[in-house]
Amino acid sequence: MSGGDAKKLVRSPSGLRMVPEHRAARSPFGLDEPPWVPDKECPRCMQCDTKFDFITRKHHCRRCGKCFCDKCCSKKVPLPRMCFVDPVRQCAECALVSQKETEFYDKQLKVLMNGATFFVTLGTSDKSELMVCRLSSNQRYLVLDGDSHYEIEIIQISTVQILTEGFTPGGGNTRAIGMILQYKVPGSEEVTQMKFTAGEDFNCNKKLSASWLAAMHKVSK
């Protein structure tokens, strides 16, 4: 692990978190811990309105920071966007969101980091280059390697357009065959465009490329 990607274990009121040592190395998909609603401001459960007492204790959702009774905040769910080491207590609404995000972290990000091969065309050029495209391990850059090398910062990407084929007026399945990406180069307001096309030769696995494009589409959302 390089120095810039080093992580440290920290303890917060919500639990243990494994976070980057340097804030600048944080994943663009990360979330800050929310401030907790002060105990004195929540005499009742903010979901079911049950009054708190010695028997009915209050609990804070680690994702939204609101105050709930045990019944309304009983689920412990992984929360990778806040870098928690273990599953943490969340209200029912937040738990559903976190469960969907965990699937995204477990599946889509891994697909992107494993990479896929595309023909890449820069700007209005009529020449394309075969490149391996992948998400960096710290999730901050889209890395393209071929004869050339590019690193595109995820937060600088403004548009992701997935190109598909196979649609018919009467319905039918489509498959992703490419992508148009627009991004800003740091220090410039100029927008650069790249076109990614899944290759047809034996070196390019179509299924892998389609899965990578689908994951990239979910990232853009």
Side-chain angles (χ1 to χ4, degrees), residues 175-193:
R175 68 184 183 94
I177 59 170
M179 171 179 71
I180 293 177
L181 195 73
Q182 292 183 329
Y183 64 96
K184 288 184 179 180
V185 177
S188 170
E189 290 301 314
E190 182 179 350
V191 175
T192 301
Q193 178 172 295

Side-chain angles (χ1 to χ4, degrees), residues 43-192:
R44 295 177 178 274
C45 174
M46 300 179 78
Q47 176 65 42
C48 69
D49 205 38
T50 297
K51 185 177 181 180
F52 295 123
D53 53 30
F54 288 108
I55 297 176
T56 305
R57 309 300 295 272
K58 60 186 66 174
H59 302 277
H60 287 86
C61 172
R62 272 49 176 175
R63 187 184 179 99
C64 67
K66 294 180 181 178
C67 202
F68 303 93
C69 67
D70 182 69
K71 182 179 178 181
C72 294
C73 194
S74 61
K75 293 187 177 181
K76 288 191 175 182
V77 179
L79 187 45
R81 290 189 71 185
M82 290 185 190
C83 303
F84 282 109
V85 174
D86 300 308
V88 290
R89 188 184 292 270
Q90 298 177 59
C91 67
E93 183 177 348
C94 286
L96 287 175
V97 176
S98 294
Q99 285 169 346
K100 291 180 180 179
E101 289 178 349
T102 297
E103 181 180 354
F104 168 76
Y105 268 75
D106 287 345
K107 295 181 180 180
Q108 311 305 331
L109 285 186
K110 287 182 180 179
V111 168
L112 290 175
M113 286 189 281
N114 286 337
T117 304
F118 297 92
F119 285 103
V120 179
T121 306
L122 180 63
T124 58
S125 173
D126 57 356
K127 295 182 179 180
S128 60
E129 181 179 340
L130 190 64
M131 307 189 83
V132 175
C133 308
R134 61 180 177 82
L135 186 68
S136 63
S137 59
N138 61 14
Q139 304 164 4
R140 296 185 64 233
Y141 294 92
L142 190 60
V143 181
L144 288 74
D145 279 310
D147 290 337
S148 306
H149 176 82
Y150 299 96
E151 292 187 7
I152 302 171
E153 197 168 4
I154 293 296
I155 61 173
Q156 298 295 337
I157 296 175
S158 56
T159 304
V160 175
Q161 178 187 352
I162 302 300
L163 306 175
T164 61
E165 69 174 11
F167 176 78
T168 59
N173 294 326
T174 61
R175 68 184 183 94
I177 59 170
M179 171 179 71
I180 293 177
L181 195 73
Q182 292 183 329
Y183 64 96
K184 288 184 179 180
V185 177
S188 170
E189 290 301 314
E190 182 179 350
V191 175
T192 301

